[in-house]
Amino acid sequence: MYLIAKVAVAGAVISIDKAYDYLVPPSLEEEAQRGRRVTAPFGRGNQLTDGFILETEQREEKPRGIKALAHIFGPEAALDEEGLSLAGTLRRRYFCTFFEAANLMMPPGVWSRRTYYRLAPGLTVEEACARWENDWDAQAVCQTLGDKGEAVAEEVLKKSLSAAALKRVCKALLQDHTMEKTVRFDGGPRDQTIRILRLAMPLSQAVAALRRGKGYEKRVEALECIAGFQGIPEKEVCYLTGIPQSALRRMEQNGLLSCQMEETFRRVTVSQGEEAPPLLLEPEQQKVCEGIQAMGLQQPGAALLQGVTGSGKTQVYIKLIQWALEQGRTAMVLVPEISLTPQLLRRFCAYFKEDVAVFHSGLTPGQRYDEYKRVKTGKARVVLGTRSAVFAPLDHIGLIILDEEQEWTYKSDVTPRYHAREVAKYRCVHHKALLLLGSATPAMESRFLAEEGKYRFFRLDHRYRNIPLPRVIVDDLRQQLREGEPDIIGRALQQELEHNLQKGEQSVFFLNRRGNSRLVTCVSCGYIPQCENCSVALTYHSKNGRLMCHHCGYSQPMPEKCPQCGEEHLRLVGFGTQKVQQELESKFPGIQIIRMDADTTVQRTSHEKLLDAFGRGEAHVLLGTQMIAKGLDFDNVTLVGVLDADLSLYSGDYRAGERTFSLLTQVIGRAGRREREGRAVIQTYTPKNPVILAAAAQDYDSFYDYEINVRQALLAPPFAHVISFLLSGENQERTLRSAQRLAATLEGCFWGPYAALRAPVLGPAPPAIQVLNRKYRYQVSFRGKDDAVTRRLVMDILRAFYGDSANRGITLVADIDPYSL
């Protein structure tokens, strides 16, 4: 009998995505279980690729030409039945391969496959180089292998050769038997262990057995310290008593101490605050909690909680999590920005202690792996994290909360283009759990579903302890523009900031644009420096004196003269957070500013350090992009300044109004969250715009009534869905031709098997940024329903596209209601 594994492999594109048969070697049969991650040869070249076992079966005869699995990874790199089912759902819903969907649920680094090269046995470096005397690249590889004297990882060779050159050379050297290739399979991050000390005999006997002499008192103190615990880490004993580690090791050798290695988890450091105060809810909050609890945990359900900024939604979340844990269930809280995690983590740890696990991109691989294990083994029952945390291996889920549920960051912008809200819905159905969407400015689709009765609808219309909402000043900059070029900081905002500085109160300034100036232009010829890789203008950064692309990272020095006409008339246009900081420091000497944007938060712990410093009062102003617009809660912040409210209002996207209203409302809500009066200044050139007026009044209901009519007129979500195909390729003409063929194919489907879905085909047309990372892009789209029939049409289009050799080298991505292109 032969054991055959059906494997979904990473090497298969969507047009050939299916389960492939592989022979399981006898040595791996015990490990070959459904859901396990494997490595197997694939394709004509038998290149090793990763995959997941979907099924296994016994066959009497060995299939002809079948390939064998190369390796099966450990049980930590395996999907359970929920994960396999979810991967299948994601594959159908988000137009990806099974492997791409399944890979989302794997903790990073629990597997490793590394390729090593070494010179053929008996071959010297001189002999190898002589074989390739006319190929300098091959000689360089041979020299490196000879110098190391052992197998060399492929990553080492990549340091001296380009990827293309290395691929060519390795292929040639292997065919000529100049070198050998091996593949090693390593585990991911290793378990971290610590030495735990205990007394090996009663304390009195241990002290009596000690030899007197130098350090006697210190050794006695260490024994007494150890006696006070059931087991204590060796490092703790050294820290508490000052005894050197060597002295403890000698006492262990003499039989006075016993040592045991125990696993410890690499945890996220949480700065200690006060003990969690009793959770006292206002009547309005209590009513919401009782309403949600009445939904029960016997069947899946969904609710929308709309609460004004500062209404105490987090307290409601904590109360509901406590309730879920009391019912023997687990809970998950998702946040849209990594910058929100430190403050929330501190509050949640105060209430739930070691029960909290955190997931976000700022963790080290070891930390993420250990948090995954804590959740998997039930040591943590509350998960807090950003979008990807929705895949955390929680069991018996009772409650999933999406805070600031309207945020676009909940939707992935890479394949699979899933939305965390939809994945949360699936998991709630699987576990018969409740989904709670919370926001001061719910997504239009969520509010519409609440109005339709699909979600239970709850409201918090007042701030906690009836603290008033901030007083909002709409500053019309048009008058200052008539009088000459206005300052970045308008008169109204300058006056309010002076008032805050005098009173020792803090301020938050919001501008959703980093850098110094939006662009550089020559006033003589109109030249604007462009990115070499993308069709966008470069942004000037004063810190390094360079022009930078915020999409691909390309940068170049700021030219002294115009490269086009040679004149010295280059001028900075617009402004970013760097320039705002310069103007503030110029107008208010001695002012302390903390700037939070993509330039200042590159390190893992940058967000937490900057926010903690601001919370300690080390700065007068917190200046930043949208990462400071929501979720932050500081007692001493009484002023918010929005420097360019029009920035996102006229982007041409049907979501522009919703995004602008949400950003303005959220950032205004950072002010006056305690007893002091809060004020907000909105600087704008369109003060009569309905979105600006609604945000200034913090009136979501009037904005919703206005915006839902606009959406209906545009046939935009929630009344219809935008199904988009995005093509990208290095050759503009070939990419455009592929886009034209795709549009024609789509038209044919609407007149053929999918006539019931018939809709106008829009495109091909270039998106807002046509060239990105040297790839030309075109978009084809239509409006329709987000249902099984439409998704089947999209999959048919994808399979036909990738099955056509004329489209080779062109990438096609399908998405429903994309947030950005």
Side-chain angles (χ1 to χ4, degrees):
M1 298 292 288
Y2 296 91
L3 184 63
I4 306 300
K6 295 185 175 296
V7 179
V9 295
V13 296
I14 200 166
S15 59
I16 56 172
D17 183 36
K18 63 178 183 178
Y20 290 85
D21 288 350
Y22 283 92
L23 177 68
V24 180
S27 60
L28 298 178
E29 286 186 356
E30 290 187 8
E31 303 296 319
Q33 300 171 8
R34 176 171 157 85
R36 291 287 283 270
R37 189 180 180 107
V38 301
T39 295
F42 184 73
R44 293 180 181 177
N46 287 327
Q47 292 293 318
L48 290 181
T49 187
D50 293 322
F52 288 94
I53 296 178
L54 302 183
E55 300 289 348
T56 59
E57 60 181 37
Q58 295 281 351
R59 295 186 190 173
E60 292 185 0
E61 295 184 3
K62 180 181 178 180
R64 187 176 179 181
I66 193 171
K67 301 174 184 178
L69 294 179
H71 184 73
I72 299 179
F73 291 95
E76 66 276 4
L79 292 178
D80 58 14
E81 288 302 318
E82 181 192 2
L84 289 167
S85 176
L86 176 55
T89 299
L90 293 174
R91 175 178 179 265
R92 293 187 297 272
R93 187 175 181 85
Y94 296 109
F95 319 120
C96 61
T97 66
F98 187 93
F99 181 87
E100 288 171 334
N103 204 40
L104 290 171
M105 289 163 257
M106 288 288 96
V110 294
W111 61 87
S112 174
R113 183 179 78 246
R114 302 184 71 185
T115 302
Y116 291 83
Y117 298 98
R118 65 185 308 160
L119 289 179
L123 190 67
T124 65
V125 179
E126 292 76 12
E127 292 171 341
C129 289
R131 289 186 182 182
W132 300 91
E133 59 181 352
N134 296 322
D135 190 328
W136 291 103
D137 290 339
Q139 287 191 43
V141 170
C142 294
Q143 192 68 51
T144 301
L145 297 179
D147 291 343
K148 296 291 183 181
E150 57 186 14
V152 176
E154 189 174 50
E155 292 77 12
V156 175
L157 299 179
K158 286 181 179 178
K159 294 178 181 179
S160 56
L161 289 177
S162 67
L166 181 62
K167 182 178 180 180
R168 177 191 64 80
V169 167
C170 288
K171 182 179 179 179
L173 293 178
L174 289 170
Q175 289 178 343
D176 190 60
H177 303 292
T178 301
M179 72 178 185
E180 295 180 342
K181 171 184 172 182
T182 57
V183 178
R184 299 178 188 174
F185 301 94
D186 305 313
R190 300 182 183 276
D191 293 341
Q192 181 168 292
T193 57
I194 56 174
R195 293 170 54 85
I196 301 295
L197 299 180
R198 297 177 178 86
L199 291 182
M201 59 185 68
L203 175 63
S204 57
Q205 295 181 19
V207 173
L210 281 178
R211 295 180 180 179
R212 293 184 176 273
K214 184 178 179 182
Y216 174 78
E217 293 79 7
K218 189 69 69 176
R219 295 196 297 275
V220 171
E221 184 183 355
L223 290 174
E224 291 174 343
C225 175
I226 296 169
F229 297 88
Q230 295 296 324
I232 181 172
E234 183 181 69
K235 289 184 178 180
E236 286 290 312
V237 179
C238 296
Y239 173 75
L240 294 172
T241 65
I243 191 171
Q245 197 176 62
S246 58
L248 294 174
R249 299 290 172 92
R250 283 195 296 271
M251 286 193 285
E252 180 188 349
Q253 292 171 359
N254 294 332
L256 305 182
L257 300 177
S258 65
C259 173
Q260 184 176 357
M261 302 302 294
E262 293 187 5
E263 183 180 4
T264 183
F265 292 107
R266 288 155 284 204
R267 299 294 314 281
V268 180
T269 303
V270 181
S271 54
Q272 298 297 319
E274 299 177 0
E275 283 294 315
L279 201 59
L280 303 176
L281 301 184
E282 299 276 301
E284 194 176 38
Q285 294 172 308
Q286 186 64 38
K287 184 178 178 181
V288 168
C289 286
E290 292 172 354
I292 295 173
Q293 290 170 359
M295 296 173 67
L297 293 176
Q298 288 73 45
Q299 59 184 2
L304 173 65
L305 173 58
Q306 179 180 323
V308 299
T309 55
S311 58
K313 292 186 289 296
T314 302
Q315 292 166 295
V316 172
Y317 300 159
I318 292 172
K319 185 69 174 179
L320 292 174
I321 293 171
Q322 290 175 338
W323 166 69
L325 296 181
E326 290 167 1
Q327 305 297 309
R329 307 291 282 273
T330 59
M332 179 185 298
V333 182
L334 303 181
V335 295
E337 292 275 359
I338 191 175
S339 61
L340 303 184
T341 312
Q343 279 196 328
L344 274 180
L345 179 61
R346 196 175 299 120
R347 292 189 67 178
F348 275 70
C349 285
Y351 283 96
F352 303 110
K353 309 296 182 186
E354 295 297 312
D355 254 336
V356 179
V358 61
F359 291 86
H360 58 68
S361 59
L363 304 183
T364 66
Q367 287 175 331
R368 194 173 180 89
Y369 175 60
D370 282 357
E371 293 292 76
Y372 179 91
K373 284 195 301 181
R374 291 179 63 240
V375 174
K376 186 83 171 176
T377 57
K379 290 183 172 64
R381 299 183 297 160
V382 179
V383 165
L384 171 66
T386 48
R387 180 179 65 219
S388 61
V390 74
F391 298 107
L394 272 179
D395 201 7
H396 305 297
I397 297 174
L399 178 68
I400 298 181
I401 298 170
L402 263 74
D403 191 29
E404 309 293 357
E405 64 90 23
Q406 81 287 351
E407 285 299 319
W408 64 272
T409 49
Y410 281 124
K411 184 173 173 66
S412 172
D413 57 358
V414 295
T415 303
R417 299 182 177 230
Y418 70 93
H419 197 297
R421 180 179 60 233
E422 302 307 313
V423 179
K425 285 180 182 179
Y426 175 92
R427 301 202 69 184
C428 284
V429 170
H430 182 85
H431 291 273
K432 297 182 179 179
L434 295 180
L435 172 65
L436 178 60
L437 309 175
S439 177
T441 56
M444 298 297 294
E445 296 89 339
S446 298
R447 175 62 183 266
F448 182 79
L449 290 175
E451 297 282 351
E452 294 285 300
K454 303 291 180 62
Y455 296 158
R456 289 286 303 276
F457 190 28
F458 300 93
R459 299 185 65 136
L460 293 172
D461 291 323
H462 303 90
R463 277 188 157 189
Y464 187 65
R465 295 180 179 174
N466 283 319
I467 292 172
L469 289 167
R471 174 172 55 87
V472 180
I473 302 168
V474 178
D475 189 13
D476 184 357
L477 295 183
R478 291 177 299 177
Q479 181 58 38
Q480 296 180 50
L481 187 61
R482 295 187 193 103
E483 297 172 1
E485 185 174 350
D487 293 331
I488 296 173
I489 313 298
R491 294 168 189 159
L493 186 52
Q494 286 189 45
Q495 293 172 3
E496 295 296 335
L497 179 57
E498 287 173 356
H499 176 74
N500 259 30
L501 294 174
Q502 292 170 4
K503 296 185 66 175
E505 296 172 354
Q506 292 175 296
S507 308
V508 170
F509 279 22
F510 168 73
L511 174 66
N512 204 22
R513 186 195 299 123
R514 63 188 174 107
N516 182 283
S517 297
R518 186 164 66 246
L519 54 86
V520 176
T521 184
C522 175
V523 297
S524 295
C525 68
Y527 168 78
I528 297 175
Q530 298 281 320
C531 175
E532 288 188 355
N533 306 318
C534 311
S535 55
V536 296
L538 296 173
T539 300
Y540 175 64
H541 287 245
S542 59
K543 186 175 182 179
N544 57 7
R546 298 183 71 85
L547 299 171
M548 301 182 68
C549 174
H550 292 170
H551 296 278
C552 71
Y554 169 81
S555 71
Q556 66 181 49
M558 175 69 172
E560 297 180 1
K561 298 180 180 180
C562 175
Q564 186 165 285
C565 69
E567 297 289 339
E568 298 181 357
H569 295 159
L570 292 174
R571 183 181 178 186
L572 301 176
V573 178
F575 56 90
T577 49
Q578 285 185 6
K579 194 166 185 177
V580 174
Q581 180 174 359
Q582 293 172 3
E583 178 157 324
L584 284 171
E585 290 170 343
S586 173
K587 289 182 177 296
F588 301 94
I591 191 172
Q592 297 298 314
I593 300 169
I594 289 177
R595 179 164 57 88
M596 282 190 69
D597 53 30
D599 296 324
T600 62
T601 55
V602 292
Q603 297 180 349
R604 291 185 185 275
T605 58
S606 299
H607 295 85
E608 185 171 4
K609 289 179 179 178
L610 293 174
L611 292 175
D612 283 350
F614 188 68
R616 292 191 299 268
E618 295 179 11
H620 305 103
V621 174
L622 176 63
L623 165 65
T625 53
Q626 67 177 19
M627 63 179 65
I628 68 165
K630 47 195 164 295
L632 304 182
D633 189 355
F634 295 106
D635 295 355
N636 198 35
V637 172
T638 57
L639 173 64
V640 163
V642 181
L643 301 182
D644 193 345
D646 309 318
L647 183 61
S648 59
L649 195 53
Y650 301 104
S651 64
D653 183 359
Y654 70 86
R655 289 192 181 92
E658 180 182 9
R659 286 177 176 170
T660 301
F661 176 84
S662 177
L663 272 173
L664 294 180
T665 304
Q666 294 286 348
V667 74
I668 287 170
R670 300 312 105 206
R673 297 173 71 91
R674 297 298 182 269
E675 287 73 20
R676 301 184 184 94
E677 179 198 24
R679 295 108 58 219
V681 178
I682 299 176
Q683 297 188 168
T684 177
Y685 293 97
T686 56
K688 299 300 182 183
N689 185 286
V691 175
I692 300 291
L693 292 175
Q698 296 170 83
D699 185 355
Y700 178 87
D701 291 340
S702 67
F703 168 75
Y704 175 79
D705 292 339
Y706 164 79
E707 184 68 14
I708 202 70
N709 290 324
V710 173
R711 294 287 184 92
Q712 190 168 18
L714 293 174
L715 276 182
F719 299 100
H721 296 274
V722 179
I723 296 86
S724 170
F725 297 92
L726 182 66
L727 300 91
S728 62
E730 295 181 355
N731 183 283
Q732 183 177 12
E733 186 177 344
R734 288 192 63 236
T735 306
L736 177 57
R737 283 201 303 267
S738 292
Q740 291 168 339
R741 286 195 297 270
L742 185 144
T745 302
L746 190 56
E747 289 274 12
C749 290
F750 287 154
W751 288 99
Y754 293 96
L757 302 180
R758 188 175 300 162
V761 176
L762 306 177
I769 302 176
Q770 183 180 8
V771 185
L772 189 66
N773 276 322
R774 298 193 176 185
K775 295 287 184 71
Y776 291 90
R777 310 194 303 162
Y778 288 93
Q779 181 183 6
V780 177
S781 62
F782 69 96
R783 283 181 169 84
K785 295 180 179 180
D786 181 8
D787 58 14
V789 178
T790 302
R791 290 193 288 272
R792 189 162 62 247
L793 165 64
V794 174
M795 287 299 291
D796 287 348
I797 293 290
L798 287 168
R799 291 191 183 102
F801 181 90
Y802 280 109
D804 186 349
S805 59
N807 297 320
R808 191 165 296 157
I810 309 297
T811 301
L812 175 63
V813 173
D815 198 2
I816 296 182
D817 296 335
Y819 274 72
S820 63
L821 292 172

